[in-house]
Amino acid sequence: MKHLLPLFSLIAFFNFTNAQSDLFVSNGSFVFVDGTGFTSDPNVAPLFVTDDVNIQNSGNIYLRNDAQLLQGTGTTGNSGFGELSVFQEGTVNQYAYNYWCSPIGAGSASNGNDDFTVNLIDETTGLISSTDVAFTAGYNSSTGPLTISNRWLFTFIASDEYSEWVYNGESGNINPGLGFTMKGVGTGVFGSQQYDFRGKPNNGTITNTVAAPVGGVDQWTLVGNPYPSALDAADFIHDTQNSSNINGTLYFWEQQPGASSHYIADYVGGYATYTINAAGTVESFTKATFLTYLQDGTPTALPGTISPTTKQVRRYIPIGQGFMVSGTTNGTVRTTNAMREFYKEADTDSEFFRTSEADSNTSDDEYSNSIPDDYKRFRIYVDFNDLYTRELLMNFHSTATDGFDYGLEGRSPEGPASDAYWVLDNVPYVIQAFDFNTDLRIPLVINLDEQMSLRVRIHDIQNFADDQPIYLHDKVNNTYTDLRYQDSNFNLESGAFSERYEITFTNEDTLTTEEISINDFLVFQDNSKEQLTVKNPNLLDVRSVTLYDTSGKQVFHKIGLDNQEIYHFSTKSLSDGIYVTVISTENGNSISKKLVVKNK
């Protein structure tokens, strides 16, 4: 039956679930839903309505403190000119984008979802009060009162060209479920602006257009979570229609914290990549490529910037979150009520794609999701000139094939001109999966648009035996570097290296040669004598000693060395700075070590 709420009623839900078949909020009445005290439980929600919600004229539903509205299998559709109000915070400053998707549309008397316009967003002035947001044609948004720059309000539908972003402005209609871009507020390193989405709540099945790759180039559509509740990424990705029309990977935009320019050429950012298996037990995530990271995964500072934090995509996509999908056919992608769950952002499995100052000491170990015992995984970091890192993830399971494994593999969003990736059918991937065996040889492709110094490292090793090596094999030099014990540092000229490097689990040379480790040599810079010293206590056969600067330029390359316990190389002519020493032995192995030159 319909539930009529009188003008004066205030209904707060603290410790019980309110389940209704329909919800009618009469003119001038309101429902206040408080999420305080609730923990995320897909079977419990502060407010659940089986069929439709009808909010009359000046009626309101207020969702506060992570409260959410879930709706069931009813097909009537929501209606009314009243408003549901739900908050979400932007997380970037005035020079950077958040990707959004509205949980509401314009009110109407008809049943069903209506288009959203950005001018439906309000500025909060109290617990339930708000005022209309102002807009400016200027470049920068501002506060006091909240004024949003309308220059940066765009949508993106089934395209691959930057020029095909569609300008929307504050009054252009945005289809339900379609995402939009909006820059933040303020000049600080981080942005934190609360927005009040007010309108008719979205409900039921929502579809948007996707397109098949054109000439091998993926076509992307900016969509998102269109509901005033969390969206289960596993349900979304493995929906029967979606799995036929998209590649199963979600892409989340991230820009460098502390951005300070509106010029496109100055943008520093990229797409984080997420997928999840059908059972919802294995989440696969790789970070956006524009930072570099310490060995534990903690991001380091870029030159001239603050130390940024780490963002993470989680299974339950929160209210307001926008993301890109890539089509495999010309069709549609959909969301349904069956994908909606009650998960609060404060809990571990739901988080708006944010950077907060509180996260600044969070290491990647906290973001390396645990996996079932019958899976294995590791991550590879490929560092380019110590400026940025491409993170690559490798999954292993008995169900994985040599072909594409939906929900376990993710196509690369691509990005920087110099990049690295796995490959399948000549398509770049950042997440890949195999059925593990020690005979696997997995190509690692590196493309460089200029000469560079590179470092390949390993991280997040799960469910591998302690004695199982994981090698980077350089097929040109026939060197095997066990990444579990040392990084691989090398310099490459510009070009495409698709056949040279591979990840292997056996060393074909180990039957006839011994591997070396950093413990076989003592490498140090004696700045008082202005010389590099290499000690070789085991009298190994040294083929060469090579020194590189941080730009990847070869400083010297010493060959024809006698077999001796100690070598000295003058560094008197070198500029102060960081260098990498690479020692190669006659059996085809090599080690590397950084050193600091500071001459008198």
Side-chain angles (χ1 to χ4, degrees):
M1 73 180 181
K2 302 286 186 181
H3 291 259
L4 301 178
L5 301 179
L7 177 64
F8 58 85
S9 69
L10 171 64
I11 299 183
F13 305 101
F14 290 94
N15 297 307
F16 62 92
T17 300
N18 187 59
Q20 301 181 224
S21 58
D22 307 282
L23 178 61
F24 179 87
V25 183
S26 63
N27 183 15
S29 299
F30 66 87
V31 177
F32 184 95
V33 189
D34 191 340
T36 303
F38 281 87
T39 59
S40 293
D41 183 339
N43 298 309
V44 177
L47 182 58
F48 180 87
V49 179
T50 302
D51 196 352
D52 68 304
V53 173
N54 184 325
I55 312 174
Q56 290 289 298
N57 296 327
S58 58
N60 293 96
I61 298 176
Y62 301 105
L63 302 181
R64 296 295 183 262
N65 299 319
D66 271 334
Q68 297 172 26
L69 165 65
L70 273 71
Q71 293 184 252
T73 57
T75 58
T76 305
N78 296 338
S79 60
F81 288 95
E83 296 176 332
L84 175 139
S85 166
V86 62
F87 297 162
Q88 185 54 277
E89 286 196 6
T91 62
V92 293
N93 69 18
Q94 67 187 21
Y95 301 105
Y97 287 107
N98 274 135
Y99 282 9
W100 294 93
C101 184
S102 175
I104 54 92
S108 69
S110 61
N111 296 106
N113 300 313
D114 290 284
D115 290 347
F116 166 77
T117 54
V118 178
N119 57 21
L120 291 175
I121 294 175
D122 278 9
E123 178 181 12
T124 59
T125 57
L127 181 62
I128 62 174
S129 61
S130 70
T131 186
D132 290 343
V133 167
F135 291 88
T136 177
Y139 290 103
N140 300 324
S141 299
S142 60
T143 58
L146 177 60
T147 303
I148 296 174
S149 170
N150 62 18
R151 286 178 174 265
W152 316 112
L153 306 176
F154 289 84
T155 59
F156 197 76
I157 307 171
S159 182
D160 64 284
E161 296 290 340
Y162 188 88
S163 61
E164 293 180 345
W165 283 94
V166 178
Y167 178 71
N168 197 76
E170 71 269 28
S171 58
N173 288 337
I174 301 175
N175 292 342
L178 196 64
F180 67 97
T181 64
M182 183 168 65
K183 287 192 175 182
V185 177
T187 59
V189 171
F190 305 102
S192 180
Q193 175 62 49
Q194 188 175 79
Y195 301 93
D196 186 358
F197 287 82
R198 288 189 175 232
K200 184 168 71 173
N202 290 329
N203 177 40
T205 298
I206 296 172
T207 62
N208 277 285
T209 300
V210 294
V214 177
V217 178
D218 288 346
Q219 306 296 297
W220 291 28
T221 297
L222 177 55
V223 293
N225 174 10
Y227 303 115
S229 64
L231 182 77
D232 188 340
D235 289 344
F236 175 80
I237 288 172
H238 293 279
D239 173 78
T240 53
Q241 177 175 307
N242 293 346
S243 61
S244 298
N245 293 341
I246 63 172
N247 67 14
T249 306
L250 312 183
Y251 301 98
F252 294 78
W253 174 254
E254 179 179 5
Q255 277 180 252
Q256 172 191 333
S260 58
S261 171
H262 289 299
Y263 288 105
I264 295 172
D266 295 332
Y267 287 0
V268 180
Y271 285 95
T273 305
Y274 179 91
T275 191
I276 186 171
N277 68 339
T281 56
V282 178
E283 295 182 86
S284 296
F285 170 75
T286 59
K287 295 184 283 289
T289 298
F290 63 91
L291 307 175
T292 190
Y293 301 88
L294 302 178
Q295 190 62 45
D296 68 353
T298 304
T300 61
L302 289 171
T305 73
I306 50 83
S307 179
T309 64
T310 299
K311 292 185 176 182
Q312 167 75 356
V313 177
R314 303 186 188 274
R315 174 174 175 174
Y316 296 97
I317 301 169
I319 296 169
Q321 180 68 66
F323 53 86
M324 290 282 193
V325 295
S326 178
T328 55
T329 62
N330 295 322
T332 59
V333 63
R334 70 179 179 183
T335 57
T336 69
N337 281 355
M339 302 173 189
R340 297 168 70 171
E341 302 283 1
F342 172 59
Y343 265 87
K344 300 171 69 171
E345 286 187 47
D347 294 330
T348 58
D349 287 329
S350 179
E351 181 178 349
F352 193 74
F353 196 51
R354 69 175 71 247
T355 294
S356 65
E357 296 175 33
D359 293 333
S360 58
N361 295 318
T362 303
S363 78
D364 196 53
D365 290 332
E366 296 180 51
Y367 297 127
S368 300
N369 301 43
S370 60
I371 54 177
D373 291 342
D374 56 335
Y375 282 81
K376 302 178 189 292
R377 84 165 14 159
F378 61 79
R379 299 174 190 271
I380 294 291
Y381 289 159
V382 183
D383 306 320
F384 295 82
N385 274 351
D386 274 340
L387 291 177
Y388 64 88
T389 298
R390 169 61 78 185
E391 181 184 46
L392 303 173
L393 176 61
M394 184 60 64
N395 291 315
F396 299 94
H397 193 253
S398 59
T399 60
T401 68
D402 291 338
F404 176 62
D405 296 299
Y406 190 91
L408 281 178
E409 298 186 307
R411 291 174 68 144
S412 174
E414 303 187 37
S418 294
D419 205 355
Y421 50 84
W422 312 122
V423 66
L424 174 62
D425 296 331
N426 296 317
V427 175
Y429 282 75
V430 292
I431 305 169
Q432 204 166 32
F434 288 97
D435 181 7
F436 180 78
N437 69 76
T438 57
D439 294 328
L440 280 172
R441 310 186 80 81
I442 305 169
L444 174 63
V445 179
I446 298 174
N447 287 331
L448 302 178
D449 72 336
E450 61 180 310
Q451 183 187 52
M452 281 199 176
S453 172
L454 293 102
R455 178 173 60 248
V456 179
R457 301 178 285 155
I458 199 166
H459 180 63
D460 186 26
I461 304 171
Q462 295 188 49
N463 297 339
F464 274 81
D466 291 340
D467 60 352
Q468 173 59 64
I470 303 173
Y471 296 106
L472 176 67
H473 179 207
D474 179 344
K475 292 190 283 186
V476 172
N477 293 331
N478 195 32
T479 58
Y480 289 82
T481 303
D482 188 348
L483 298 174
R484 299 192 72 166
Y485 296 98
Q486 63 188 84
D487 303 336
S488 178
N489 292 270
F490 51 92
N491 179 71
L492 288 177
E493 301 291 335
S494 63
F497 301 87
S498 60
E499 305 290 338
R500 179 167 178 174
Y501 298 99
E502 62 185 6
I503 299 296
T504 70
F505 305 97
T506 56
N507 183 344
E508 293 181 347
D509 292 336
T510 55
L511 296 178
T512 58
T513 63
E514 292 185 0
E515 296 179 66
I516 63 171
S517 74
I518 195 62
N519 296 324
D520 290 313
F521 293 92
L522 178 61
V523 183
F524 62 93
Q525 169 66 17
D526 189 339
N527 285 316
S528 64
K529 296 182 179 179
E530 298 178 322
Q531 67 181 16
L532 166 65
T533 298
V534 177
K535 290 187 177 181
N536 179 21
N538 298 323
L539 294 175
L540 298 179
D541 293 323
V542 176
R543 176 193 295 172
S544 64
V545 176
T546 309
L547 191 69
Y548 299 100
D549 64 18
T550 54
S551 71
K553 180 181 178 182
Q554 182 176 291
V555 177
F556 64 67
H557 178 62
K558 304 296 185 181
I559 59 175
L561 302 172
D562 294 331
N563 190 352
Q564 57 193 58
E565 283 192 50
I566 191 166
Y567 305 92
H568 298 293
F569 305 99
S570 174
T571 59
K572 186 175 183 179
S573 63
L574 301 183
S575 301
D576 291 355
I578 299 174
Y579 295 82
V580 177
T581 306
V582 179
I583 304 169
S584 299
T585 61
E586 294 294 345
N587 67 11
N589 289 314
S590 65
I591 63 162
S592 60
K593 184 175 181 179
K594 280 188 177 181
L595 56 90
V596 178
V597 172
K598 189 173 180 61
N599 291 318
K600 294 183 294 183

